[in-house]
Amino acid sequence: MRFHVLGLATGLSTLVSCDAFLSVSPASSASRTQLKSSLDDDELSKLIGKRSQIKRKKKEELPKEEDFLEKLDTDNIDMDNLPEFQTKRVKREPKKKEEDEESKAPVSNEPTYVDYFADYEDENEFHIPNRMGISTRAWGDVNAGFVPSGKLKKQQLREGKFVPGDLQVAYNDLMNAGILLYESSPEYGSAMASKQLSAEDILSRCISEYQDSDAIPLIVGTYPNKMWQRGAKGVTNALSNSCDRISAIDVYQIKNLGWLPSAGLVKGMTEAVVDLGTVNYVGVKNVSPVRLRRMVSKFDKEGIQVTTNAFDFSLTNRKNEKWIQSCKTLGVIPLITDPLGGGLASGQYTASNPSGGIAGASAKFPFSTLEKLQPLHSVLETVAERVKTRVTRELRDLKERSRGRYGPEPKINTDITTTQIALNYVVAKGGVPLAEVNSPKQAEEVLGCLGWVLNDEEVSMLDAAAELCK
């Protein structure tokens, strides 16, 4: 029994002590919190006091205004000649940009375009880059699809219409790629001359608005040579008028020589080249080999070389092929007008496509003519596929061969068309085709001719097909 009482007493004492502890704990916690708060306040007061002392000390260390004036020697200061007080900010010069540094770098004489015929053995000193030129025959000609102003509708675009803006874009693309030769005449677009929209006017505007100064166009002008203008004065006056529209003409060619006396024409051209210096070279147009030889002889006596002879030639009109060889023999460059045969030689107009893909257009050629040319058009497509395969295979080698020799790395077309085959056929025969370009799309197709040529086998295939269609 005593054991139980003792255990009970012990348990009660334990409970009492625990209650006492619990009753004291809140008071102790509050006192500790109050003590900590008082300590924080003391530290903050000390910091504030220390900062006030630092500020007071700095003010005491600063010199007083009276002391500064006493030390200032005002007797030796010229008060009338004191410098003006500047309140404006100093102008800072901007840092030189990288473009300024590049502009100071030496300018390279290398052209920005690629001339794939830079090593071509030219007929004379007049070099034509890439052996390709452009005819402006349709520029300003309303009957050929020219629209003076406004925005073309979709139907007009499908009909092949074009505006001056299209010609400017096409010109820029051609010049950038290295096609620099442009043939023009006062007769081209003459109906729009009063509105300054003739071919010569448009060409002049394209030249002035073209921004790249590295590429300079080569202009071939034409003397109409009317019956009443066959004298020397007629030549110089017509040339002077063309130069007023186009700043510079490189070659001035005489048209319609025929068998009439040419002494006045020779004299006029001699005055233009030697005395006036308004043109650099002399050319002729549609002159047969016999007549060409005589003209070359006459100009040689004046110390002038006949530079060019322009005439028609294409896959569908090969009757003047001997003229090309005659030109080369005499050192004359053969300029080929109508190298696409009006669309027959390029395969634009075929028996299966008599309208040429032009919306609303009627058949331009009789069906009998188109049917007769079917073998040639079939071979054109075959050769285009062969060239595409060959050029794709040889492209890497062509790039390596051209890199570092002709300027920037060439971009060679591999999507070969029948139009490009027809143009390069003329090049393979030794002529310089003057392709008609009236839109950026046509310019792009002409540019696709650059960087590749037809081989002998492909030329033979085309010759055989053209012979079969006679």
Side-chain angles (χ1 to χ4, degrees):
M1 180 65 82
R2 288 176 60 189
F3 174 78
H4 291 287
V5 173
L6 180 62
L8 180 60
T10 305
L12 288 173
S13 65
T14 303
L15 289 173
V16 169
S17 64
C18 289
D19 292 338
F21 176 77
L22 292 172
S23 63
V24 172
S25 293
S28 301
S29 177
S31 62
R32 283 197 299 271
T33 303
Q34 185 177 2
L35 177 61
K36 184 176 180 181
S37 176
S38 62
L39 288 174
D40 291 342
D41 292 341
D42 291 342
E43 291 295 330
L44 181 60
S45 299
K46 289 179 182 180
L47 291 173
I48 294 173
K50 190 173 182 180
R51 185 175 64 178
S52 300
Q53 290 177 2
I54 293 172
K55 287 184 177 180
R56 214 178 300 118
K57 188 176 180 180
K58 284 185 178 180
K59 288 182 179 179
E60 292 174 356
E61 291 176 354
L62 290 173
K64 296 181 179 180
E65 185 178 355
E66 295 81 3
D67 297 338
F68 177 75
L69 293 174
E70 288 179 1
K71 294 179 181 180
L72 185 63
D73 186 8
T74 57
D75 296 334
N76 296 325
I77 298 178
D78 188 358
M79 303 299 292
D80 296 329
N81 296 321
L82 289 176
E84 294 182 2
F85 181 69
Q86 298 290 335
T87 58
K88 294 181 180 180
R89 298 180 66 181
V90 178
K91 186 178 180 181
R92 295 182 180 180
E93 294 182 359
K95 293 182 179 180
K96 294 182 179 180
K97 298 181 180 180
E98 295 180 0
E99 297 178 359
D100 297 336
E101 296 177 358
E102 291 178 359
S103 63
K104 293 182 179 179
V107 180
S108 174
N109 292 326
E110 291 291 332
T112 55
Y113 58 85
V114 181
D115 182 4
Y116 295 97
F117 284 82
D119 296 333
Y120 187 83
E121 188 176 350
D122 295 318
E123 294 83 354
N124 50 58
E125 63 179 15
F126 184 61
H127 175 69
I128 301 175
N130 290 307
R131 299 285 291 185
M132 188 73 65
I134 302 300
S135 172
T136 63
R137 190 193 64 81
W139 294 18
D141 188 352
V142 177
N143 295 326
F146 177 73
V147 178
S149 61
K151 186 177 180 180
L152 298 179
K153 298 179 181 179
K154 291 183 178 180
Q155 179 64 23
Q156 290 177 306
L157 291 173
R158 288 193 292 266
E159 293 172 355
K161 306 289 186 181
F162 58 96
V163 295
D166 294 328
L167 300 177
Q168 180 70 64
V169 175
Y171 176 86
N172 294 347
D173 293 343
L174 292 166
M175 289 292 292
N176 289 336
I179 296 184
L180 312 185
L181 186 72
Y182 295 84
E183 183 261 346
S184 191
S185 170
E187 295 179 316
Y188 298 166
S190 58
M192 300 295 292
S194 59
K195 299 181 180 180
Q196 295 186 339
L197 287 173
S198 67
E200 288 188 340
D201 291 320
I202 297 172
L203 180 58
S204 175
R205 189 178 305 172
C206 289
I207 294 172
S208 62
E209 293 185 6
Y210 180 63
Q211 300 299 320
D212 193 342
S213 60
D214 290 341
I216 300 174
L218 304 174
I219 307 301
V220 178
T222 305
Y223 177 54
N225 192 20
K226 304 296 184 181
M227 287 293 297
W228 58 90
Q229 295 177 324
R230 294 186 68 87
K233 190 174 181 180
V235 174
T236 55
N237 288 343
L239 177 57
S240 178
N241 291 335
S242 291
C243 287
D244 289 340
R245 289 183 288 270
I246 305 175
S247 57
I249 295 179
D250 295 274
V251 181
Y252 200 53
Q253 56 186 5
I254 307 172
K255 180 184 176 183
N256 299 330
L257 277 176
W259 293 97
L260 295 175
S262 57
L265 299 176
V266 173
K267 182 181 178 182
M269 294 299 289
T270 302
E271 290 180 5
V273 174
V274 178
D275 300 334
L276 301 178
T278 49
V279 69
N280 298 323
Y281 303 98
V282 171
V284 292
K285 191 170 185 179
N286 296 325
V287 176
S288 66
V290 175
R291 185 65 167 165
L292 179 63
R293 188 174 293 106
R294 293 179 180 177
M295 291 301 298
V296 168
S297 177
K298 289 182 179 181
F299 277 107
D300 280 344
K301 293 177 182 178
E302 303 294 336
I304 299 175
Q305 182 184 24
V306 177
T307 305
T308 61
N309 183 20
F311 51 87
D312 288 353
F313 176 77
S314 68
L315 259 173
T316 54
N317 179 17
R318 301 188 306 146
K319 63 182 181 181
N320 291 335
E321 185 171 358
K322 292 182 179 180
W323 290 27
I324 296 177
Q325 298 305 320
S326 176
C327 286
K328 290 186 169 295
T329 302
L330 296 171
V332 178
I333 302 173
L335 300 180
I336 305 304
T337 54
D338 196 18
L340 300 179
L344 285 178
S346 63
Q348 178 184 359
Y349 297 95
T350 63
S352 59
N353 185 22
S355 66
I358 300 175
S362 57
K364 184 177 179 181
F365 300 98
F367 182 77
S368 57
T369 301
L370 299 176
E371 188 177 26
K372 183 180 177 181
L373 293 174
Q374 277 186 332
L376 176 60
H377 293 155
S378 177
V379 172
L380 269 172
E381 295 178 358
T382 302
V383 172
E385 287 298 322
R386 285 172 61 99
V387 173
K388 179 179 180 179
T389 303
R390 175 173 60 82
V391 171
T392 302
R393 185 176 63 250
E394 298 174 352
L395 182 57
R396 181 175 300 177
D397 179 54
L398 288 170
K399 286 185 177 180
E400 291 295 331
R401 213 163 50 216
S402 301
R403 186 180 293 122
R405 297 181 63 191
Y406 309 119
E409 182 177 322
K411 296 180 180 179
I412 299 173
N413 170 52
T414 56
D415 189 15
I416 311 299
T417 66
T418 54
T419 297
Q420 293 160 358
I421 294 295
L423 289 173
N424 267 343
Y425 172 80
V426 173
V427 175
K429 288 294 183 178
V432 177
L434 299 177
E436 292 184 20
V437 171
N438 305 323
S439 67
K441 184 178 180 181
Q442 291 177 345
E444 183 181 359
E445 187 156 30
V446 172
L447 294 177
C449 298
L450 304 184
W452 57 272
V453 294
L454 296 173
N455 58 31
D456 293 340
E457 183 181 357
E458 291 155 355
V459 173
S460 297
M461 291 175 63
L462 294 170
D463 282 336
E467 190 68 25
L468 187 63
C469 295
K470 277 187 176 181

